[in-house]
Amino acid sequence: MEYAPGNATHPYRLHVAAGDRLAFDSLLVAGGPATWRLLDPYGRDVLGYKDLAVDQAAFLLATPGAYTLLVEGRAGNTAVVGYGFQFNYVGNLPQAGLPAGNPMALGSVVADSLATTGTSKVYRFTLAQDSVLLFDTQTTSGNFTWSLAGPRGQEVNGVSLYASDSGYRNPVQALPAGDYALTIKAQYGSGAYAFRLLDASNFPLLALGQQVSVSRSPANSTLGYRFSAAVGETFVITRQSGDGYWRVIDPYGKVVFGQYYDYTSTPFMASATGTYTLVNEGTYNQTGSVSTSFRLNKRIKQTEALALNDKVTGSLAGAHESDQYSFTLTAPTTLVLDVLENPSARADYIGWTITGSGASNRSLSRNDPVTLGPGQYALTVRGSDSQPHDYQFRMLTREVATVMALNVPLSGVLTPDASTLLYRFDASKGQRLYLDGQDASSSYSYAYWRLTDAFGKSVASGYTYSGSSPFTLPSTGEYLLSVQYSFRDDTAS
């Protein structure tokens, strides 16, 4: 056979019985290097990458069915590659079948015991179709391990029973149809144990946006739900009460989100269209029951144009909702976010992010200047908790800044409707300046100031109740001074 081009991949298929032993015999490789790989009927790599020019001693194929052989030329090959090989049948090693055991029903608790260290019990079940299962341990003892074998061979081997879900281990098993044997072994001691195998397809459907209040009993068990999602949609879990580990599983059994309950404001995105699984897992050592209340929200984004320097008013229902404001800059521009809300109103529960030609998910804070080049931009306003929030802001530019002169006193009043004042002046590189703050020393009345150069770089900052240390201007050009109220007063001067 020949590769044309020499970096191509040639697939082959061969059928084997369980226990067949084969050897690989390389006959020819000319024109460039190449490798071969063998994939079992479930797509698993049997031996890894092997040099096509090297013989492979006999190896065992425990799983029956159609295997895929991939002969792959190296990416850098430019010449035609010629090759030849053959698989030699060495014999068959009969494979032991699954051990006999007690039948178990998916979704039902298996509560049992082992009286002697080293003994084990086997439980059997059959899957009529490919399924996504979750292991729900309800065992507090560290004495036991569990294993799972099925059509593909060993799926789980000697895993600690008590640490098999929650934040300790991914409990998801995406399994093909067929017969299975689950073995519990008293590895380190004897005693009682309990667990469940849950079929994700049997979980109830979850209504998006509606509050769910439920008791997880026992507290170390697992709750599960299903919901539909389209590729690209973003979701947020918002909690009202409870605890546990949250996990989201895609239609193919892949975990796309996992986090403890206290940190569930992080969004996750659907990578494929289909039915997803949401589970809340208790920790093995929890006892009693736990009341859990939560919502699963689909993130909503509202988009509109932003007029720079104008007041904008909006509201957010919670962390699942965001507002996006688009704007265009035709020249390099320094922007200052003026959040029109008293800090005591907890506006810090709202996040501000700017994206576009010269910014990639850059977080903004009040009175934090940012200089952007020409291009298209979007300011995203998003809640960081489950509570509704109103907001008001202005995105200020130099056009609304008051021209000021050095060595001349300035005074003004900051209010929630104008919580940032801008001033601008021209200066030369190397000039030495300082700001002489003259406010009374009171934690309820002073303001915060920041000086920014023409390139958006912060030069100096401080509070207006005292003078600053002298500083040197780094460049010649226009400077922007922003003054913003601080702490809790409705006004500051």
Side-chain angles (χ1 to χ4, degrees), residues 115-188:
T116 306
T117 301
T119 59
S120 60
K121 286 187 178 180
V122 178
Y123 302 90
R124 295 290 304 270
F125 64 94
T126 299
L127 296 178
Q129 59 189 13
D130 295 355
S131 302
V132 174
L133 305 185
L134 293 96
F135 193 88
D136 175 21
T137 184
Q138 298 179 20
T139 299
T140 59
S141 171
N143 290 339
F144 306 98
T145 61
W146 71 284
S147 302
L148 180 66
R152 294 188 299 205
Q154 202 73 34
E155 300 283 354
V156 179
N157 189 19
V159 170
S160 181
L161 184 63
Y162 83 96
S164 290
D165 61 5
S166 188
Y168 294 94
R169 189 177 190 273
N170 179 9
V172 180
Q173 299 290 328
L175 302 174
D179 295 326
Y180 289 85
L182 190 155
T183 302
I184 304 294
K185 182 177 181 180
Q187 186 74 42
Y188 308 107

Side-chain angles (χ1 to χ4, degrees), residues 24-36:
F24 179 83
D25 186 7
S26 176
L27 304 177
L28 167 70
V29 178
T35 59
W36 64 276

